[in-house]
């Protein structure tokens, strides 16, 4: 079983709609959680950290459920520029040895 | 440009040849990481440096792979006797070691290796 599992998608989303997806992680000792965004043939870039209390950054909302060991990302009012692969990332140590999921592809259509 | 820089961007080589990649991290970052990414997968951790010290290596890093960071600044990743299975994007990342910032990695654009 992979340490971080994601639905690969693609999630086809009309422009302006809301899309949400989850990832699950297997190590209950995991300490930190992130969403990274990766455009085609580009490097991953940090989108946002995920906190237990849930956090919001503009149109993006991230939630963490430690009891069920899953993380979610919700994108409101989707833009064409939101089309990308979203990588769920978990850190079980106190430094940057991050465990990446395989990514969820989101395609926003006009 | 003060981001993470990787060279070359692309490398095509024949099986059995040696290749070397270079990474220049963000100047004030003392932590440097190498990851490998294949098509349809997320990046996989290879190794990690704190300044010049290599502190951890993944079991993915066979004895054909060696990484160095001699002066605690740039790093090189060498693959000897390349195999077709080594074909992947090799990503370098750096981070600060201050508090929670050590978990926020900044990636370079990667080196795409194709072994023929």
């Amino acid at each position: 079983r992979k340490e971080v599992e994601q639905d690969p998608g693609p999630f086809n989303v009309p422009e302006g709609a809301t899309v949400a997806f989850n990832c699950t992680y297997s190590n209950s000792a995991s300490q930190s959680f992130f969403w990274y965004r990766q455009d085609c043939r580009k490097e991953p870039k940090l989108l946002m950290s995920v906190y237990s209390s849930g956090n919001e950054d503009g149109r993006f909302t991230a939630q963490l459920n430690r009891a069920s060991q899953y993380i979610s990302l919700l994108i409101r009012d989707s833009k064409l520029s939101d089309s990308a692969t979203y990588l769920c990332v978990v850190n079980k140590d106190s430094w940057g040895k991050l465990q990446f999921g395989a990514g969820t592809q989101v395609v926003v259509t006009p | 440009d003060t981001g993470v820089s990787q060279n070359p961007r692309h490398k095509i080589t024949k099986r059995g040849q040696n290749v070397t990649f270079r990474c220049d991290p963000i100047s004030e970052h003392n932590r440097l990481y190498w990851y490998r990414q294949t098509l349809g997968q997320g990046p996989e951790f290879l190794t990690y440096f704190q300044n010049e010290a290599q502190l951890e290596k993944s079991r993915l890093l066979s004895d054909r792979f060696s990484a160095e960071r001699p002066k605690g600044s740039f790093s090189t990743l060498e693959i000897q006797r390349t195999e077709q299975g080594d074909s992947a994007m090799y990503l370098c990342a750096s981070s600060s070691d201050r508090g929670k910032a050590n978990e926020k990695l900044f990636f370079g654009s990667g080196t795409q290796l194709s072994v023929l």
Side-chain angles (χ1 to χ4, degrees), chain B residues 9 11 16 22 41-42 45 49 51 71 80 83 87 91 98-100 103-104 108:
Chain B
R9 291 293 302 275
K11 179 70 177 179
R22 175 177 170 127
Q41 300 300 315
F45 171 81
F49 290 85
N51 298 312
K71 298 182 179 179
Q80 296 182 326
E83 301 173 356
S87 296
L91 292 162
R98 295 184 178 182
K100 297 298 279 182
E103 299 177 308
K104 296 184 179 178

Side-chain angles (χ1 to χ4, degrees), chain B residues 66-79:
Chain B
S66 62
E68 297 183 343
R69 194 183 183 198
K71 298 182 179 179
S73 56
F74 73 91
S75 175
T76 58
L77 178 67
E78 180 183 16
I79 309 174

